[in-house]
Amino acid sequence: NSDDLGLGLPVLGAIFPPQLVGMCFVLNSIQLMLLNPLLFVLLGVGKARHVPEGRTPLPTGEVVLHVLHSLTKNVVLLSVAAGLVYNLAIGGGTGASLPPSLDSLCRLLGQAFSPIVLFLS
């Protein structure tokens, strides 16, 4: 996910126009919002259903509660939810801009992403 985007972004930037490279961020966001929660739920169900030999499996209600409790501590899902809440609360669902000081910090960090991604991966 982030490694693919980080490592492939300089290559895509050299080959394609900037509008097409920006679509990679859109696709990455869609994956974070749709695919990752589903996969985390499935992984949580698998983990909750796994019981040691000789013990009885958990009832379905307990599995659901265990998975929901685990999802509330998942930082990937929490960050996506926080972004959606911010967008709906501030931007009314049409897109919210960040405060100027935070926007300049994010732009600065975003410009440093491509040169240092190879050291972070």
Side-chain angles (χ1 to χ4, degrees):
N1 185 1
S2 61
D3 290 342
D4 297 342
L5 183 67
L7 296 173
L9 195 61
V11 174
L12 292 174
I15 298 173
F16 297 109
Q19 296 84 6
L20 293 177
V21 175
M23 290 303 294
C24 290
F25 289 104
V26 173
L27 292 173
N28 193 16
S29 300
I30 290 171
Q31 177 183 350
L32 280 174
M33 287 188 297
L34 299 177
L35 296 178
N36 283 1
L38 176 64
L39 294 175
F40 287 137
V41 167
L42 292 175
L43 286 170
V45 168
K47 180 181 176 188
R49 284 278 184 205
H50 178 71
V51 292
E53 182 98 17
R55 296 188 67 189
T56 59
L58 294 172
T60 304
E62 287 186 37
V63 170
V64 169
L65 288 175
H66 179 74
V67 170
L68 290 176
H69 184 263
S70 298
L71 290 178
T72 60
K73 296 187 284 185
N74 189 319
V75 293
V76 174
L77 296 180
L78 290 176
S79 63
V80 171
L84 287 173
V85 168
Y86 180 81
N87 185 12
L88 292 173
I90 305 296
T94 60
S97 59
L98 294 173
S101 58
L102 187 58
D103 187 51
S104 63
L105 174 66
C106 288
R107 287 185 192 278
L108 181 65
L109 291 174
Q111 291 169 348
F113 178 71
S114 293
I116 66 168
V117 71
L118 293 174
F119 299 108
L120 298 175
S121 297

